[in-house]
């Protein structure tokens, strides 16, 4: 890589877990696209979740659990495997039930497909050849990144060929003048973030699955995460996308320019379309400077009204330095304490909030945060609170929030809902569903990105029960639609929500989506049974 070293100075960098710690890093400018791209992660990627938390691979087959009809696709035959073998080295083709188990089952252990082959291309050209072949031979394809998706979109429903991006992990260039990184789709989010850290930049996206999810998966789901409040969603920070269409045609929309009004902005079609319109192979991301000062407050609150008023006060008093505003109810925190043995830094309260500030001036930010806490604690709005500035303390506080999803799956089966709601209604749905479900369940809890109006409503039971599912759905979607919320805030529609999309989209919008799908994927081979409702 052609790099000019400008100097070295003390600053804070992300730790291996994606949180802040003191360190020294080089400020550098990449003057041109590197001749040999930088390889930033190895296979398998660092998977803290897959190894420790991933549910059993032996859940019921999706085709048995759900009423879903296999499309008229061909089945993979010997000639197909021979073609793939001629294209890729043996270690880049995975066959065999045991070897494929982790790729056929989702992270939650709630849906399971029966693919017989997984392919690991390294280049856009290989993806193009694979898709052209699958299109010609009428083989359905399931694109897969880190397989951390939570709506059943990342695994096959029947026997789709899995095309996994795990070996597409090259960083092509980092332009430190504009702050734009261009990389392949299979870069693991956390590794990519560590890579740009050496240039004083950060990836404007952070989520609990950062150690496993791929940037291509993030773009394909339009992932939100913990700092959307500050950096906006990926439709804003993704400047370019390269994707391969179902036919094998490479769609190069990889412009790294911040401004480009030359007609329809096609890259947006691939952001959030969950692998149904194209397989994302490369992205250009606009990266903000890495903040030098980060503080984290963990607060205890007595009423939900106090939570809302605290958020309002944080917006007005912390303003431009507020980088995250997260919400946890008592039941969610209790789940993390009980199932993962983590310890909260303050006593028990009905509600908790995490407020993070990020800026360029430590004393300025600390003063602002301290003033904010003095006033909210003084007025009784906040009942108790603690501030962390040390990396290890911040890490352990963040774990209380980030590991709730993991803690929940310890209880058996998680019914997971990710909804956008107007703030006054934000917590009512948790209370209503708790009452509606009564003692038939283990837990009904709420947490989420309150600064973005995004609630994660989660219900657990010892094992999957159809009757419980039928009591939750469509009630929860009707509830959400009644208050004009969205039935999918950030996780996407995937397999599980496709037949509920009408709660958040008009018939006209769904029809146009179906027409776009027909145009871009006439045979419907790309991620069938996902996003669009059954016809
Ligand atoms: P996968 O799970 O492999 O795939 C997701 C979808 O994208 C599938 O439909 C798949 O077919 C498609 N896809 C994957 N790669 C490509 C590609 N290259 N081209 C086309 N389609 C592709 N999500 C949030 O939004 N915010 C969070 O805060 C958040 N936190 C999480 C915390 C935990 C512990 C876990 C397990 C998940 C969390 N998620 C969160 C959900 C998940 O991590 C995101 O949806 C993530 O973006 C998925 O990335 P992935 O690489 O794992 O994609
Ligand atoms: C989160 O914010 O923790 C994730 O979106 C995962 C979840 O909803 O459980
Ligand atoms: Zn989330």
């Amino acid at each position: 890589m052609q790099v000019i070293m400008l100097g070295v100075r003390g600053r804070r960098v992300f730790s291996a877990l994606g949180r802040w710690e003191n360190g020294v890093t080089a400020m550098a400018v990449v003057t041109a696209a590197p001749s040999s791209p930088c390889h930033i992660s190895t296979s398998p990627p660092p998977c803290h979740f897959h190894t420790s938390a991933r549910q059993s691979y032996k859940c019921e087959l999706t085709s048995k659990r759900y009423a879903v009809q296999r499309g008229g696709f061909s089945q993979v035959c010997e000639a197909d495997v021979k073609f793939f073998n001629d294209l890729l080295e043996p270690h880049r083709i995975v066959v065999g039930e045991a070897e494929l188990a982790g790729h056929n089952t989702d992270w939650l252990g709630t849906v399971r497909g029966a693919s017989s082959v997984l392919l690991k291309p390294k280049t856009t050209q290989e993806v193009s050849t694979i898709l052209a072949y699958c299109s010609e031979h009428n083989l359905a394809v399931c694109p897969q990144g880190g397989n951390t998706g939570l709506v059943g979109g990342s695994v096959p429903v029947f026997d789709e060929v899995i095309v996994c991006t795990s070996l597409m992990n090259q960083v092509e260039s980092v332009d430190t003048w504009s702050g734009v990184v261009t990389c392949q789709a299979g870069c693991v989010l956390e590794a990519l973030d560590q890579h740009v850290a050496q240039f004083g930049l950060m990836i404007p996206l952070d989520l609990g699955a950062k150690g496993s999810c791929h940037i291509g998966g993030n773009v394909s789901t339009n992932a939100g995460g913990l700092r959307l409040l500050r950096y906006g969603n990926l439709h804003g920070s993704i400047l370019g996308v390269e994707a391969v269409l179902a036919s094998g045609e490479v769609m190069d929309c990889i412009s790294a320019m911040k401004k480009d009004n030359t007609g329809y902005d096609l890259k947006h079609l691939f952001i959030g379309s969950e692998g149904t319109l194209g397989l994302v192979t490369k992205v250009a991301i606009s990266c903000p400077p890495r903040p030098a000062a980060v503080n984290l407050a963990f607060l205890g609150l007595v009423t939900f009204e106090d939570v809302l008023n605290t958020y309002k006060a944080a917006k007005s008093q912390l303003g431009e330095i507020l980088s995250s505003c997260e919400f946890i109810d008592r039941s969610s925190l209790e789940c993390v304490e009980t199932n993962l043995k983590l310890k909260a830094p303050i006593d028990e309260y009905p509600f908790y909030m995490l407020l993070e500030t990020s800026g360029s001036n430590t004393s300025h930010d600390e003063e602002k945060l301290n003033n904010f806490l003095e006033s909210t604690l003084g007025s009784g709005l906040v009942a108790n609170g603690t501030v962390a500035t040390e990396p290890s303390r911040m890490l352990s506080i963040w774990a209380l929030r980030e590991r709730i999803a993991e803690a929940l799956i310890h209880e058996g089966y998680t019914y997971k809902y990710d909804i956008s709601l107007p703030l006054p209604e934000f917590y009512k749905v948790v209370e209503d569903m708790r009452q509606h479900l009564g003692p038939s369940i283990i837990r009904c809890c709420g947490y989420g990105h309150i600064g973005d109006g995004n609630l994660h409503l989660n219900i657990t039971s010892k094992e999957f029960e159809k009757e419980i599912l039928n009591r939750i759905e469509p009630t929860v979607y009707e509830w959400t639609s009644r208050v004009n919320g969205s039935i999918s805030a950030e996780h996407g529609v995937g397999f599980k929500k496709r037949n509920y999309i009408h709660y958040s989209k008009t018939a006209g919008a769904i029809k146009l989506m179906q027409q776009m799908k027909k145009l871009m994927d006439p045979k419907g081979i790309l991620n069938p049974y996902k996003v669009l409702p059954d016809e």
Side-chain angles (χ1 to χ4, degrees), residues 225 401 418 449 454 456 490-491:
R401 165 63 188 86
D418 157 51
H449 317 286
N454 179 183
H456 294 315
E490 60 171 8
H491 294 166

Side-chain angles (χ1 to χ4, degrees), residues 271-301:
I271 304 174
S273 55
E274 300 177 59
T276 59
L277 298 181
L279 198 149
V280 174
T281 44
K282 212 187 273 182
V283 293
I285 313 162
S286 176
C287 301
R290 232 174 165 74
V294 179
N295 296 294
L296 184 63
F298 188 83
L299 314 176
L301 304 104

Side-chain angles (χ1 to χ4, degrees), residues 25 141 162 166 225 451:
T25 190
V141 171
I162 304 173
S166 60

Side-chain angles (χ1 to χ4, degrees), residues 143 145-149 153-154 207 214 218 220-221 223-225 274-275 280 490 527:
N147 193 11
T148 65
S154 54
L207 56 154
H214 296 183
N218 299 146
S220 302
T221 53
E274 300 177 59
V280 174
E490 60 171 8
N527 231 2

Side-chain angles (χ1 to χ4, degrees), residues 401-421:
R401 165 63 188 86
E402 289 188 41
R403 296 184 67 188
I404 300 171
E406 182 190 340
L408 286 162
I409 61 176
H410 281 246
E411 299 191 336
Y413 189 92
T414 308
Y415 310 80
K416 190 169 271 296
Y417 301 92
D418 157 51
I419 53 188
S420 277
L421 295 168

Side-chain angles (χ1 to χ4, degrees), residues 294-298 369 386-395 397:
V294 179
N295 296 294
L296 184 63
F298 188 83
L369 185 58
T386 178
V387 174
T389 49
E390 247 169 81
S392 61
R393 265 201 88 214
M394 284 197 273
L395 263 177
I397 291 176

